């Protein structure tokens, strides 16, 4: 993939998100006639099979699959081309959206297709939709994302924010300059030494790095504590299991692959430079109550008990992925309050890493990491301008270092080359989940977290 992407012409992207038109009048609940539950079950199976067919052509598109093995085997045998998958998805969307209003309100087909598709996002859901209408909205969201991904694989290059809306249902607004200034000012006060914030932050981080020989033990202890806290509040199956593998040649620092049957594999980048606070983040985000626990809950409740087969598959580029990343990103705030986290790191992880609890300011480190996490908005802004052709690789890398304190900017940009708008999922997803969780604390916060995980389709991104 090229380092920068020029703005696409409307002719070049007119196929993009053909599917969004099918959602334009979903909000007209009072005259809506959604299909019966059995028809939705059939539609859900068709969607899953389409997602598996896409994964055969584009493995990056599949985040998880926990459905029948023979469906995946059938997709491998079928070897469907991308055009055929897109045509089947279009037909599926048209079957799901059956309202008279939809047929009447398609609008002037001379209107530019791409602009009409984007405008359709405003009508994806309504609080007045019937229950089955909510299931229709959810399926249409995922199908729209699948179609968009196919168009991108075939060469469409929408602007960054347009692609984000079509894949994830929302976009990240540019960072608030006043807030970014306040974050940098506090970092300037907290980080010792002189010179650039980036250099001082890198030097500060080195004091908390876990020696390579002790990384596995630190990660395992962090996972055990996160698992204990999660199982104290969430009813997970007794046989759920998360195994760890250290891997090379991966664009992700860490990635959890749910294999079904309540088992996941956590792949950790062998080149990962890990701090004690980073170990807690990974344990919560990837394991408990993050990706592994979310996948287990959904498999047990939604797939096995309710037979909602659409949840047996998650596309990496989809609103479901945004909600999953959002839940995983706030997982550490659910598992620990700030004081508990610092105490655990000081009393348990620092000694295990061979670091001195008396020589290091753990509370200060936790706070500094919170501040740096707010600069992810700057990362998305740089990625936006990079993808849209406003920054070339070298200038984008320099801005990531200086403005977002990214320690490996080249790796981040190579990630964007491959996964394009995916950084949006972390920032917009976390915003969505923080809003949904509100100020709930303790058991109430855990209960809300579980409810969001099991009713993800009801938490719709707010269109931007």
């Amino acid at each position: 993939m090229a380092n920068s992407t020029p703005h696409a012409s409307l002719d070049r992207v007119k196929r993009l998100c053909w599917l969004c038109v099918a959602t334009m009048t979903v909000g007209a609940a009072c005259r809506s006639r959604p299909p019966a539950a059995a028809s939705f079950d059939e539609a859900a199976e068709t969607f899953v099979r389409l997602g598996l067919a896409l994964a055969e052509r584009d493995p990056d598109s599949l985040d998880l699959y926990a459905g029948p093995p023979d469906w995946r085997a059938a997709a491998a045998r079928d070897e469907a081309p991308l055009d055929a998958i897109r045509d089947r998805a279009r037909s599926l969307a048209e079957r799901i959206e059956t309202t008279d209003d939809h047929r009447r309100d398609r609008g002037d087909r001379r209107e530019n297709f791409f602009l009409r598709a984007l405008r359709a996002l405003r009508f994806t859901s309504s609080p007045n939709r019937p229950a089955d209408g909510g299931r229709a909205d959810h399926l249409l969201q995922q199908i729209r994302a699948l179609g968009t991904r196919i168009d991108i694989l075939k060469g469409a290059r929408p602007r960054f924010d347009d692609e984000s809306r079509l894949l994830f249902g929302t976009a990240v607004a540019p960072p608030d300059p006043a807030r970014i200034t306040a974050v940098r000012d506090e970092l300037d006060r907290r980080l010792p030494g002189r010179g650039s914030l980036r250099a001082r932050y890198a030097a500060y981080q080195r004091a908390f790095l876990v020696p390579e020989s002790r990384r596995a033990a630190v990660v395992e202890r962090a996972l055990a504590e996160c698992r204990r806290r999660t199982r104290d509040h969430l009813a997970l199956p007794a046989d759920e299991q998360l195994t760890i593998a250290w891997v090379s040649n991966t664009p992700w620092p860490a990635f959890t692959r749910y294999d079904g049957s309540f088992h996941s594999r956590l792949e950790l980048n062998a080149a990962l430079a890990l701090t004690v606070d980073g170990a807690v983040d990974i344990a919560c985000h990837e394991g408990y109550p993050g990706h592994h626990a979310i996948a287990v809950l959904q498999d047990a409740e939604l797939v096995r008990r309710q037979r909602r087969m659409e949840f047996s598959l998650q596309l990496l580029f989809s609103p479901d992925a945004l909600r999953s990343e959002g839940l995983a990103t706030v997982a550490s705030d659910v598992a620990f309050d700030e004081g508990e986290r610092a105490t655990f790191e000081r009393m348990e992880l620092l000694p295990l890493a061979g670091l001195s609890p008396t020589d290091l300011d753990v509370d200060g480190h936790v706070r500094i990491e919170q501040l740096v996490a707010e600069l992810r908005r700057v990362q998305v802004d740089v990625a936006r301008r990079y993808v849209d052709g406003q920054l070339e690789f070298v200038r984008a890398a320099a801005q990531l270092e200086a403005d977002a304190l990214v320690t490996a900017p080249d790796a981040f940009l190579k990630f964007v080359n491959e996964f394009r708008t995916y950084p949006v999922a972390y920032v917009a997803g976390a915003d969505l989940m923080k809003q949904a969780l509100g100020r709930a604390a303790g058991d109430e916060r855990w209960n809300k977290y579980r409810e969001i995980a099991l009713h993800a389709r009801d938490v719709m991104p707010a269109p931007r």
Side-chain angles (χ1 to χ4, degrees):
M1 187 178 294
N3 286 338
S4 60
T5 306
H7 297 168
S9 68
L10 292 176
D11 287 339
R12 191 176 177 191
V13 299
K14 78 180 203 176
R15 292 171 304 142
L16 185 64
C17 291
W18 38 267
L19 202 38
C20 298
V21 178
T23 67
M24 287 184 63
T25 58
V26 169
C30 60
R31 295 179 295 276
S32 152
R33 294 195 303 272
S39 299
F40 272 123
D41 291 343
E42 179 185 351
E45 177 178 337
T46 302
F47 160 69
V48 171
R49 290 180 180 274
L50 288 171
L52 294 173
L54 175 58
E56 289 298 313
R57 296 298 184 194
D58 175 40
D60 282 348
S61 290
L62 185 63
D63 194 355
L64 66 83
Y65 177 61
D70 59 320
W71 291 7
R72 192 160 198 172
R77 290 193 304 269
D78 188 29
E79 297 183 346
L82 290 175
D83 285 340
I85 299 169
R86 186 173 53 193
D87 289 345
R88 294 173 193 170
R90 179 187 302 170
S91 297
L92 176 60
E94 290 172 351
R95 291 202 306 273
I96 292 172
E97 183 47 85
T98 59
T99 66
D100 289 338
D101 292 281
H102 170 66
R103 287 191 289 271
R104 282 199 300 269
D105 294 343
R106 281 287 180 94
D108 186 352
R109 288 188 175 273
R110 292 174 297 177
E111 179 187 6
N112 176 267
F113 189 97
F114 184 42
L115 295 179
R116 191 167 71 247
L118 291 175
R119 184 163 57 82
L121 290 172
R122 297 199 307 271
F123 302 99
T124 303
S125 64
S126 164
N128 297 319
R129 289 282 277 166
D132 283 346
R135 194 176 182 191
D137 290 346
H138 177 252
L139 283 167
L140 286 168
Q141 280 188 330
Q142 309 316 306
I143 299 167
R144 181 185 66 227
L146 183 150
T148 299
R149 178 62 178 172
I150 290 175
D151 284 333
I152 291 168
L153 291 171
K154 291 181 67 64
R157 291 296 180 264
R159 292 175 64 91
F160 186 92
D161 284 347
D162 291 339
E163 179 178 322
S164 170
R165 293 182 184 103
L166 294 165
L167 289 175
F168 302 113
T170 191
V172 175
D176 176 10
R179 179 57 194 158
I180 297 303
T181 297
V183 167
R184 292 178 65 86
D185 285 348
E186 185 173 348
L187 285 169
D188 189 42
R189 293 191 301 271
R190 287 180 173 272
L191 288 170
R194 295 178 179 273
S196 69
L197 281 181
R198 191 267 180 198
R200 290 157 60 194
Y201 175 61
Y204 184 83
Q205 287 287 82
R206 283 194 289 272
F208 291 88
L209 283 177
V210 179
E212 185 174 347
S213 62
R214 301 191 179 218
R215 285 185 312 182
V218 169
V219 170
E220 287 168 8
R221 178 66 190 94
L223 275 169
E225 179 65 15
C226 292
R227 183 176 189 267
R228 181 188 70 79
R229 289 169 175 265
T230 299
R231 292 185 68 90
D232 282 348
H233 293 87
L234 302 181
L236 299 179
D239 55 345
E240 61 83 15
Q241 185 179 16
L242 176 65
T243 58
I244 302 174
W246 294 86
V247 299
S248 302
N249 300 319
T250 174
W252 308 85
F255 188 90
T256 297
R257 179 77 65 186
Y258 185 63
D259 295 326
S261 300
F262 309 139
H263 178 267
S264 297
R265 171 184 166 94
L266 169 54
E267 297 181 349
L268 290 164
N269 193 327
L272 182 66
L274 187 68
T275 66
V276 289
D277 194 66
V280 173
D281 261 340
I282 284 177
C284 289
H285 185 108
E286 300 294 338
Y288 306 89
H291 287 305
H292 167 67
I294 294 165
V296 167
L297 286 171
Q298 292 186 346
D299 190 2
E301 175 64 22
L302 300 178
V303 179
R304 295 173 182 239
R305 195 181 77 81
Q306 297 185 24
R307 305 300 299 168
R308 295 294 177 92
M309 295 308 296
E310 61 265 41
F311 289 99
S312 69
L313 174 140
Q314 183 168 291
L315 299 172
L316 190 68
F317 304 96
S318 70
D320 272 358
L322 176 136
R323 289 182 278 256
S324 177
E325 287 293 3
L327 282 167
T329 300
V330 304
S332 61
D333 294 332
V334 175
F336 297 88
D337 67 31
E338 191 169 323
E340 290 174 336
R341 178 170 181 159
T343 299
F344 172 65
E345 292 181 15
R346 183 185 304 107
M347 302 302 293
E348 300 263 2
L349 297 189
L350 283 178
L352 197 56
L355 303 175
S356 171
T358 58
D359 294 340
L360 296 172
D361 177 11
V362 177
D363 297 88
H365 187 225
V366 170
R367 176 56 183 162
I368 284 171
E369 290 303 289
Q370 290 173 342
L371 291 167
V372 172
E374 290 198 51
L375 298 180
R376 287 176 182 164
R377 295 182 188 280
V378 179
Q379 294 181 31
V380 172
D381 193 50
V382 172
R384 175 190 293 114
R385 289 180 287 136
Y386 174 66
V387 168
D388 287 348
Q390 299 168 12
L391 289 174
E392 80 289 350
F393 193 99
V394 174
R395 281 200 303 150
Q399 289 197 11
L400 286 167
E401 279 191 310
D403 299 340
L405 307 188
V406 174
T407 55
D410 288 10
F412 177 82
L413 291 175
K414 290 174 182 177
F415 179 90
V416 172
N417 285 344
E418 183 173 355
F419 296 96
R420 293 180 58 82
T421 56
Y422 198 82
V424 166
Y426 300 104
V427 175
D431 287 347
L432 187 69
M433 295 308 147
K434 288 175 183 176
Q435 181 180 5
L437 289 170
R439 296 186 178 182
D443 290 344
E444 182 187 1
R445 192 167 180 84
W446 279 101
N447 291 338
K448 277 194 172 184
Y449 187 89
R450 180 185 182 278
E451 287 305 303
I452 294 169
L454 294 180
H455 298 88
R457 74 184 193 200
D458 297 331
V459 184
M460 302 288 188
R464 289 182 179 272

